[in-house]
Amino acid sequence: MEGLSDIYNSYADEVKRFLICLTSNVDLAEELTQETFYQAVKSIHRYNGKCKMSVWLCQIAKHTYYNYLKKEKHSNNISVDNMMQMGMDIQSHEEQPDVEIVNRNTLISIHKEIHLLSEPYREIFLLRTSISLSFKEIGEIFDKSENWARVTYYRAKLKLAERIDPYEL
């Protein structure tokens, strides 16, 4: 097994990207990434090697994020949906190409629609499109089958297609 610093160096960016997809907030994703690896260190003895290390870490990240939402909901009385809507844009300003304002508005509109999807559609869509996880890996994260991940991703795409009118973009 790799050393803890090797694991962090190998997977921290992937876990952070996953959390950015979930939270839409870069600062929160960075904070939760640290918490994820803290939790991973505490429970490294439970990792049995049946799934990829990245999948195991993303499962921890998902649970860390859900725990964060529960704490926030109790402390601030804010719903999960409001938390998602308050998040920042996924892409940082450095990563965004200089394109026409119309194209930027289109991306923002699509991004908003993605975050309006209910769970698990939103999460599965983002796992597949943002960090390119395989359907098998997505199924492992949710403790479901590869086929379940495929069908759910397909349904998420259908829901998005219903919500996005290309003539309004």
Side-chain angles (χ1 to χ4, degrees):
M1 176 168 284
E2 304 172 64
L4 294 175
S5 62
D6 292 336
I7 292 171
Y8 181 83
N9 291 334
S10 297
Y11 301 106
D13 286 338
E14 186 173 345
V15 169
K16 181 181 169 187
R17 284 193 311 271
F18 170 71
L19 285 165
I20 288 171
C21 290
L22 287 179
T23 66
S24 299
N25 183 322
V26 174
D27 294 331
L28 178 58
E30 288 174 354
E31 181 181 327
L32 293 175
T33 299
Q34 297 304 316
E35 179 64 22
T36 296
F37 279 92
Y38 171 71
Q39 294 299 326
V41 167
K42 285 178 35 179
S43 60
I44 193 73
H45 63 281
R46 291 189 202 141
Y47 177 68
N48 58 15
K50 288 185 179 178
C51 64
K52 289 184 179 179
M53 177 66 71
S54 60
V55 171
W56 182 71
L57 290 168
C58 284
Q59 286 176 327
I60 294 172
K62 179 179 74 169
H63 292 292
T64 301
Y65 174 58
Y66 289 162
N67 288 338
Y68 167 81
L69 289 177
K70 287 177 192 173
K71 288 178 188 175
E72 283 299 305
K73 187 174 182 180
H74 291 293
S75 66
N76 294 331
N77 218 7
I78 296 176
S79 72
V80 173
D81 292 336
N82 289 340
M83 292 293 295
M84 295 303 291
Q85 292 172 355
M86 292 183 336
M88 295 170 34
D89 194 328
I90 285 181
Q91 294 178 318
S92 69
H93 294 290
E94 299 86 35
E95 294 173 344
Q96 292 179 347
D98 290 324
V99 294
E100 297 176 33
I101 292 174
V102 173
N103 289 340
R104 180 179 165 93
N105 288 339
T106 299
L107 290 173
I108 290 170
S109 296
I110 292 170
H111 180 75
K112 285 180 181 178
E113 291 301 325
I114 291 169
H115 281 280
L116 291 175
L117 288 172
S118 61
E119 290 299 341
Y121 300 110
R122 175 181 48 232
E123 188 173 352
I124 289 172
F125 185 84
L126 291 171
L127 287 171
R128 182 71 179 162
T129 59
S130 296
I131 58 175
S132 303
L133 288 183
S134 69
F135 290 116
K136 182 178 181 190
E137 292 168 326
I138 293 169
E140 289 174 356
I141 288 173
F142 285 89
D143 293 324
K144 304 278 186 178
S145 69
E146 179 179 347
N147 191 47
W148 176 87
R150 284 180 192 281
V151 169
T152 308
Y153 175 72
Y154 176 75
R155 289 178 181 163
K157 287 192 326 184
L158 289 178
K159 287 177 182 288
L160 271 178
E162 290 172 1
R163 297 173 85 140
I164 298 173
D165 182 359
Y167 297 108
E168 291 180 9
L169 300 175

